[in-house]
Each structure stands twice: as C-alpha cells, then as structure tokens.
C-alpha cells in the first residue's frame, strides 16, 4: 500500500480536476492511500528575502515529504498551468524543496477537446527545473477532454476505455515509484547538490 | 508612440524593473514608455471575479490605450513567474485588452540563460486564444548574469547590449505599424487607391477655382458663391430658418458633426468648441481640405475602406470606438452615408458622440443591467476601424 497525495491544480470552487482526483482516490483504494490537497489558501508567491514559507506551504511541503509519490492534476489556462499552481511550485522550490527526487504523475482535465495537453507539457518542463527536480513519470500522459461531460452524478468516469487507460497509468506509477526510490537511494549526492542550488547565486 | 512596460515580477527588487526603467530613459526620444508594476494584482481565481477592481481596471485602461506592450520577465522554475501568469489570466478572463495588441518580450535573469525558457513559455501563453496578443517574432533580448549588467546609475554597462536593445526597440516600432495594417479591415491589402482622397475630381456642387488647402477657404468660397448668411431665410424640407438659426440648431446637436462630400472634400463641421476640447479635433482652417490632408498617410487605406462601404451601399453606417478619452467616456465615431431620395451617395455625415451617458440613462430608467458589468458589452456591436484615431490636425 502506497501513500500518495493528490494536488488539485486550481483554486476554483468547482473543478473537474478535483473530481478526477476524487475518482482516482476512490477507484484505487485497494492500491494506495491518497490524500487530496487543495492550494487555494496558499498565498501568492512574492520571493520574500527571508525565504520563509507561509504555514500553508509548510504543511503541504511536509505532506509531500512524507508521501511516496505525488499526483498533480492541472487544468489549462492560456496554454499553460494556472498561476495559482505555479505560485505553489514557486514556494516549494524557494523554501524546503520537498519535490526533489519525488515521484510525480501528471493528470489533467479541461472543458475543451484538448484535455490540458499543453499545460501538462509546461508542467513537465517546470517540474524539471533544478530547483524543483521532481522525478516525473515519462511517457504517461493522461488527458480528460470535455471534462464537464466526463463524469456521472456519483463522480465516476463514464468512459470505460478512459478508466482502463487510467488503471494502466496508475499501475505504471506504482512501479515507477518503486524504481525511482531505488535510484534516488543510490544517488544521494545528487540531491545535496540540488538543494544547494540557489535562486540568485546561479 | 505610447508603450506600456510590464514588470513580470512582484518582488520588491527586480532587475527586470531596472531593465524597463532603462528602456524608458534611454529611448525616450523613440517611444514614450510607462512602466507598470504587477504587485497589486491579486492571485487569479475564477470563483472570485475581481475584474472590476481598481488595479486590474488600471491595467486594462493603460493597455487598451497603448500602441504596444513590452513585458520584461524573469525566469522561475523554467517558466514565467506566477505573478505575471496571474495578471495575464485576469486579462483574458472577462476582459481582453491584449487582443491584437503588439507585444515585445524582454527578460533578465541571474544565470547565463537570461530567461530564455520563460520567454518561450510566455510566447505560448500570449498566443492562447483568450489572450491573442501579437508577439513580435525574433529580436530575442536575453540579459543573463544581470547582477553584473548595470552600473551605479542603473544604466547598462555594455554599449553593444544597449545598441542591440535599441535595434530591437526600433524593430518593435515598425512591428506596431505592421500590426496596425494587419488589424485594419482589409488586412494587408492597401485599398487607399480605391478612393480619390485628394479630391482631384469635381462634382456638381464643387466650388471651383479656390485652393482647397487655404485656411480661409470658407471665406473665399462664400465670396465666390455669394453664400447667404446671418438673418437671411433659407427654405428647407420641411421648414424655414435663418442661417443663424440653422447654425444654432446644428451646434445644439448632441454630437460633433462633420460633412464630407462625395468628392472627398471636407465641407463643414459644427464649430462650437476649440479643437482641444473636442472628442475628435477639427480646426476652422481645415474646412475645404481634401480628406487626404485630414489624415496621416498610414490611415488612407482605412479611410478609403470606410468610404467604399458607404459609397457602394454595403453599409449605411460604419462605427468605431475610439478609446482615447478614459473609462468615463465611450466615444463612438459613426460614419453615416448621406444619400438623396434616389439613394445616390452624396457624402459622409461623421458624428462623434460619447454614448455612455445615454446608456447609463437607459439602464437607470429601465432598471436593467449590462451582462459583464461594464459598457464593454457594447463594443461587440461595432465595427473596428482605425481611421479617426489616427486622424491628425495638420498645420
């Protein structure tokens, strides 16, 4: 049994990405314990000189540190991820850097046909920055297009093929978490180098 | 040329702010740059619409009124800062001031990359349909190792960097002009030759033998035609007024009126205000001029397009909103075709009005509200033509 956290990539009151994470949480109860984390109370990042994380950021950082892996579900705003998700990642990368070497799976849902394809590509590039240095599962895009029509009243995905695709991705992720953690244990020195990476000194 | 410079960081100290201040100072003979800070803009949240808050409306107004926008972005985590992203989200949610706006991207960073990756993300973001900015291609200005780049007077130390920046700014000025053509009704096609804007021909009513450009064209033409004035009666359909009454009547119209005949000669305006107090400036000496002398050459294509619409009967009126008088006014230029009983085109009645008081009155009387909050809802009903905004007073 794995311990994961799922991050809802928006501060919006209604979000099909939240629905998607709730579905994942419910659908895979026998495989993983998933806690869903909201980011709407995280203040806007403003690069404070004291480098101190607000309490909400610290709480999230602690949960990430303790989790075996992280699932981020992102909408797409203007071909990219929402500012509020970006702000959360900026805080994490600027303070305790809990995503370094953490296994991450990306999912996304959008109202249109494209299903957040471009925001997922941006999110990969962002998570790959040296200050975040997450271990993102490769070749594993999971997109939900027309997300307003994708769920039934009980919050279940209605398309059986999509559910099967999700099951494949999720099983891959469980394996990916195992492999990543082995790799990371061997490569301990790399981690220290990343943590020394400074926002301004580079 | 008015340019808005947006500092892409909300940090208290930002080299990107220094860079924009330097651009404003160094190139002030080329462009008029106003630098705007984003730190007062709240985090975007679609469940808490703050489009009408003062900081966002301030940005909306400044960008709408500007000829172009320069964004200076740092790089956080291989991308643009969330603070800048949030601003763009607000400006693409309920309002779209960047739509069709020429944008130039610059950036500074501590590392050697000089914001290379965030600039690419920013291009993709600005290209999203809700934003729809027109970003200048090429001319990438990356300022790496920025902590070593400025001297104590906050000037760029390296003259070659300054020179390259100047060439980028000059390209941007030309780019803005190209985008204006792109946004004109007929696109890249120059339709100025479809109209005789210099009024070289004549029609039945053209007053021959007088220099159209003369400041006293009205006086000369009045003498030549023995035009009546003062308390002489004129018979109209349907009524009789003296010339004085007619003048007072026209001056009492709730609009600035201009008559240009089918020969493209400017014959009349209801002169009651000084040029600087008008919504669309006119000076007494301009009357009699051919339309070509009332507009800069770059507007000729648009002017010709409007006249063609009216002359060929494709439209009876072409309207355009000219957003140069601030948020309290909504100035509309209407080009109304003047036709005779048989529908023959006689010329243009251009009337310029601030329609906001009328709309406010209507809403107050009926208790209705505009969806979307502001008078912005009206803009959908207008045709966008950039003719009058560029009409200048010559001489």
């Amino acid at each position: 049994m794995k311990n994961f956290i799922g991050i809802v990539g928006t501060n919006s009151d209604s979000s099909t990405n939240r629905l998607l994470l709730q579905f994942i949480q419910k659908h895979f109860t026998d495989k993983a314990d998933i806690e869903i984390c909201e980011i709407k109370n995280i203040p806007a990042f403003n690069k404070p000189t004291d480098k101190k994380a607000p309490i909400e950021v610290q709480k999230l950082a602690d949960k990430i540190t303790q989790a075996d892996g992280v699932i981020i579900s992102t909408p797409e705003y203007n071909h990219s991820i929402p500012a509020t998700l970006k702000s959360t990642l900026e805080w994490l990368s600027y303070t305790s850097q809990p995503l370094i070497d953490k296994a991450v799976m990306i999912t996304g849902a959008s109202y249109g046909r494209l299903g957040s394809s471009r925001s997922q590509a941006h999110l990969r590039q962002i998570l790959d920055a040296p200050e975040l240095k997450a271990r993102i599962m490769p070749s594993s895009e999971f997109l939900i297009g027309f997300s307003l029509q994708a769920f039934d009243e009980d919050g279940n995905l209605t398309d059986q093929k999509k559910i099967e695709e999700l099951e494949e991705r999720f099983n891959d992720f469980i394996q990916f978490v195992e492999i990543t953690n082995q790799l990371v244990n061997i490569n301990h020195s790399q981690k220290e180098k990343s943590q020394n990476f400074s926002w301004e000194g580079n | 040329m008015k340019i808005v410079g947006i500092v892409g960081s909300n940090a208290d100290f930002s080299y990107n702010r220094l860079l924009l201040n330097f651009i404003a100072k160094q190139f002030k003979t080329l462009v008029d740059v106003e630098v705007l800070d984003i730190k007062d803009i709240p985090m975007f949240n679609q469940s808490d619409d703050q489009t009408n808050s003062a900081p966002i409306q301030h940005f909306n107004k400044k960008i709408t009124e500007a000829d172009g926008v320069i964004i200076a972005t740092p790089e956080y985590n291989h991308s643009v800062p969330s603070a800048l992203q949030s601003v763009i989200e607000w400006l693409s949610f309920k309002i779209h001031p960047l739509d069709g706006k020429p944008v130039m991207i610059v950036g500074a960073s501590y590392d050697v990359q000089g914001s290379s990756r965030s600039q690419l993300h920013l291009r993709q973001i600005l290209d999203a349909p809700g934003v729809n900015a027109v970003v200048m291609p090429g001319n990438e200005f990356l300022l790496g190792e920025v902590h070593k780049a400025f001297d104590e007077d906050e000037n760029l130390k390296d003259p070659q960097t300054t020179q390259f920046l100047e060439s980028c700014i000059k390209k941007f000025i030309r780019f803005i002009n190209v985008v204006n053509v792109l946004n004109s009704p007929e696109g890249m096609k120059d339709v100025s030759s479809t109209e005789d804007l210099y009024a070289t021909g004549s029609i039945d009513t053209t007053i021959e033998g007088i220099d159209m450009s003369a400041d006293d064209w009205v006086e000369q033409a009045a003498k030549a035609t023995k035009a009546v004035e003062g308390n002489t009666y004129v018979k109209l359909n349907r009524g009789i007024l003296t010339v004085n009454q007619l003048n007072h009547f026209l001056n009492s119209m709730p609009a600035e009126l201009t008559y240009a005949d089918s020969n493209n000669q400017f014959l009349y305006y209801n002169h009651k205000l000084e040029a600087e107090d008008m919504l669309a400036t006119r000076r007494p000496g301009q009357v009699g001029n051919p339309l070509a002398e009332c507009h800069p050459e770059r507007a000729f294509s648009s002017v010709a397009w409007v006249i063609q619409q009216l002359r060929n009967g494709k439209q009876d009126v072409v309207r355009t909103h000219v957003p140069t008088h601030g948020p309290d006014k909504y100035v509309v230029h209407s080009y109304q075709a003047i036709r005779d009983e048989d529908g023959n085109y006689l010329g243009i009645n251009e009337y310029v009005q601030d329609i906001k008081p009328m709309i406010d009155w209507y809403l107050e009387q009926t208790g209705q509200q505009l969806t979307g909050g502001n008078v912005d809802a009206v803009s959908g009903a207008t045709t966008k033509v950039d003719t009058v905004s560029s009409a200048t007073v010559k001489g």
Side-chain angles (χ1 to χ4, degrees):
Chain A
M1 196 80 164
K2 297 282 181 220
N3 271 318
F4 292 156
I5 67 161
I7 297 177
V8 181
T10 172
N11 51 4
S12 173
D13 292 339
S14 64
S15 159
T16 50
N17 282 285
R18 189 177 291 119
L19 280 185
L20 177 60
L21 283 175
Q22 285 165 352
F23 175 74
I24 292 173
Q25 183 185 43
K26 194 167 60 178
H27 195 73
F28 298 107
T29 39
D30 55 331
K31 291 187 171 140
D33 212 355
I34 303 174
E35 183 185 352
I36 295 177
C37 298
E38 296 285 347
I39 59 173
K40 65 179 159 196
N41 292 324
I42 290 186
F45 177 69
N46 60 352
K47 208 179 167 187
T49 43
D50 64 2
K51 289 207 156 201
K52 205 169 165 327
I55 182 76
E56 296 86 351
V57 174
Q58 196 51 54
K59 275 187 194 163
L60 179 65
D62 292 344
K63 283 180 184 169
I64 293 172
T65 304
Q66 282 153 24
D68 298 315
V70 176
I71 303 168
I72 304 177
S73 198
T74 180
E76 180 166 309
Y77 290 1
N78 295 329
H79 291 181
S80 190
I81 64 171
T84 181
L85 175 58
K86 194 169 263 191
S87 171
T88 304
L89 295 173
E90 284 164 356
W91 276 118
L92 296 174
S93 67
Y94 192 63
T95 56
S96 60
Q97 303 184 316
L99 280 165
I100 289 179
D101 287 337
K102 188 65 67 179
V104 173
M105 172 176 168
I106 298 172
T107 62
S110 78
Y111 294 174
R113 182 186 301 276
L114 304 182
S116 78
S117 61
R118 290 174 286 205
S119 72
Q120 290 198 25
H122 271 202
L123 183 54
R124 279 179 184 275
Q125 293 177 323
I126 291 165
L127 289 169
D128 209 23
E131 309 93 317
L132 283 162
K133 201 175 169 285
R135 302 280 174 160
I136 315 140
M137 180 161 68
S139 319
S140 63
E141 208 170 40
F142 184 74
L143 309 161
I144 299 270
F146 299 118
S147 61
L148 284 174
Q149 290 85 40
F151 297 91
D152 66 16
E153 289 139 29
D154 304 321
N156 296 315
L157 276 175
T158 51
D159 183 350
Q160 192 52 40
K161 276 191 191 148
K162 270 283 163 200
I163 295 177
E164 283 164 22
E165 190 188 329
L166 183 62
E167 284 167 351
E168 264 177 50
R169 295 280 172 279
F170 198 82
N171 290 336
D172 283 353
F173 186 54
I174 287 178
Q175 282 191 16
F176 179 74
V177 169
E178 302 267 352
I179 297 165
T180 302
N181 290 342
Q182 283 174 23
L183 187 74
V184 165
N185 288 336
I186 299 165
N187 252 348
H188 194 61
S189 59
Q190 279 296 108
K191 181 165 180 168
E192 280 171 3
K193 200 172 154 195
S194 286
Q195 273 172 340
N196 287 334
F197 187 97
S198 151
W199 271 64
E200 274 140 51
N202 191 30
Chain B
M1 206 164 251
K2 273 180 80 87
I3 305 285
V4 165
I6 298 177
V7 182
S9 161
N10 59 354
D12 288 337
F13 177 81
S14 161
Y15 279 111
N16 282 283
R17 189 180 294 116
L18 281 195
L19 176 59
L20 281 177
N21 286 340
F22 175 73
I23 290 172
K25 182 174 66 177
Q26 183 75 13
F27 306 119
K28 62 171 184 274
T29 54
L30 296 174
V31 281
D32 175 13
V33 180
E34 182 178 0
V35 179
L36 298 182
D37 265 305
I38 62 172
K39 64 176 156 209
D40 294 333
I41 308 271
M43 174 59 73
F44 178 76
N45 185 336
Q46 64 178 28
S47 310
D48 181 16
D49 182 10
Q50 296 174 65
T51 302
N52 288 327
S53 70
I56 294 169
Q57 281 302 321
H58 180 66
F59 261 69
N60 185 28
K61 176 175 179 285
K62 289 290 177 188
I63 293 172
T64 302
E65 288 172 6
D67 295 302
V69 175
I70 301 176
I71 303 179
T73 181
E75 180 166 308
Y76 291 1
N77 298 328
H78 289 185
S79 190
V80 303
S82 55
L84 176 58
Q85 192 123 335
S86 171
V87 172
I88 298 172
E89 284 167 4
W90 283 120
L91 299 181
S92 58
F93 183 48
K94 294 287 171 71
I95 50 176
H96 306 271
L98 286 164
D99 189 352
K101 191 67 69 177
V103 174
M104 174 179 173
I105 298 173
V106 297
S109 77
Y110 284 90
D111 61 12
V112 292
Q113 290 285 332
S115 76
S116 66
R117 289 171 287 210
S118 70
Q119 289 199 23
L120 285 182
H121 271 200
L122 185 54
R123 278 180 186 278
Q124 294 176 322
I125 291 164
L126 291 170
D127 207 27
V131 187
N132 208 26
V134 189
V135 186
M136 178 166 69
N139 301 286
E140 201 169 43
F141 185 80
L142 308 163
L143 189 60
E145 298 184 284
V146 69
H147 47 295
K148 300 177 195 161
F150 290 96
D151 66 18
E152 59 271 24
D153 299 323
E154 300 185 347
N155 292 317
L156 280 178
K157 282 187 211 158
D158 178 20
Q160 277 185 319
T161 306
T162 306
Q163 208 176 14
F164 176 63
L165 185 56
E166 182 174 339
S167 76
C168 292
I169 296 284
K170 283 180 172 167
K171 282 270 173 58
F172 187 49
I173 293 168
R174 302 182 80 163
F175 180 72
I176 289 172
N177 287 326
V178 171
V179 174
N180 286 341
V181 176
L182 200 64
N183 287 340
S184 76
E186 292 283 318
M188 292 299 289
K189 202 168 136 202
D190 181 355
V191 295
S192 57
S193 61
T194 56
E195 280 292 328
D196 176 19
L197 296 177
Y198 288 94
T200 58
S202 68
I203 53 174
D204 291 349
T205 48
T206 301
I207 302 163
E208 306 276 3
I210 295 160
D211 176 11
M212 289 180 174
S213 304
D215 275 356
D216 62 345
W217 178 86
V218 173
E219 285 68 30
Q220 289 189 50
K223 202 172 158 193
T225 56
K226 301 193 177 68
V228 296
E229 60 183 307
N231 288 321
T232 309
Y233 288 96
V234 181
K235 187 177 177 218
L236 299 160
N237 175 25
R238 176 76 191 154
I240 295 181
L241 293 170
T242 67
V243 176
N244 279 342
Q245 282 177 316
L246 200 50
N247 270 323
H248 294 311
F249 182 60
L250 289 167
N251 285 353
S252 73
M253 292 291 169
E256 294 169 5
L257 304 175
T258 298
Y259 191 125
D261 68 15
S262 65
N263 190 36
N264 295 335
Q265 187 181 12
F266 168 26
L267 295 183
Y268 167 83
Y269 76 103
N270 59 345
H271 175 218
K272 54 185 168 177
L273 296 171
E274 295 304 315
E276 51 273 15
D277 298 325
M278 295 178 74
L279 297 171
T281 53
R282 306 277 184 266
R283 293 188 196 281
Q286 280 185 303
V287 179
N289 285 2
L291 292 182
E293 286 177 24
C294 309
H295 298 88
E297 213 167 310
R298 67 184 161 85
F300 284 6
S301 184
S302 302
V303 175
W305 181 84
V306 171
I307 299 169
Q308 284 281 302
Q309 295 296 300
L310 305 177
R311 190 188 295 278
N312 298 333
K314 286 182 192 155
Q315 298 188 62
D316 275 326
V317 59
V318 175
R319 296 188 211 280
T320 181
H321 168 222
V322 180
T324 47
H325 292 79
D328 300 336
K329 287 190 169 65
Y330 196 91
V331 176
V332 177
H333 294 222
S334 298
Y335 305 86
Q336 175 81 46
I338 306 172
R339 303 192 202 281
D340 66 15
E341 303 81 2
D342 302 322
N344 297 313
Y345 175 74
L346 300 178
I348 298 178
N349 173 10
E350 178 186 350
Y351 56 97
V352 179
Q353 292 167 293
D354 169 20
I355 65 165
K356 189 148 185 305
M358 291 286 278
I359 290 172
D360 288 346
W361 185 81
Y362 170 78
L363 296 177
E364 198 184 304
Q365 293 295 310
T366 60
Q368 297 192 61
Q369 287 187 328
L370 292 174
T371 53
N374 274 334
V375 275
D376 195 39
V378 188
S379 67
T382 64
T383 312
K384 279 207 166 179
V385 203
D386 184 27
T387 48
V388 191
S389 58
S390 48
T392 56
V393 176
K394 286 194 178 177

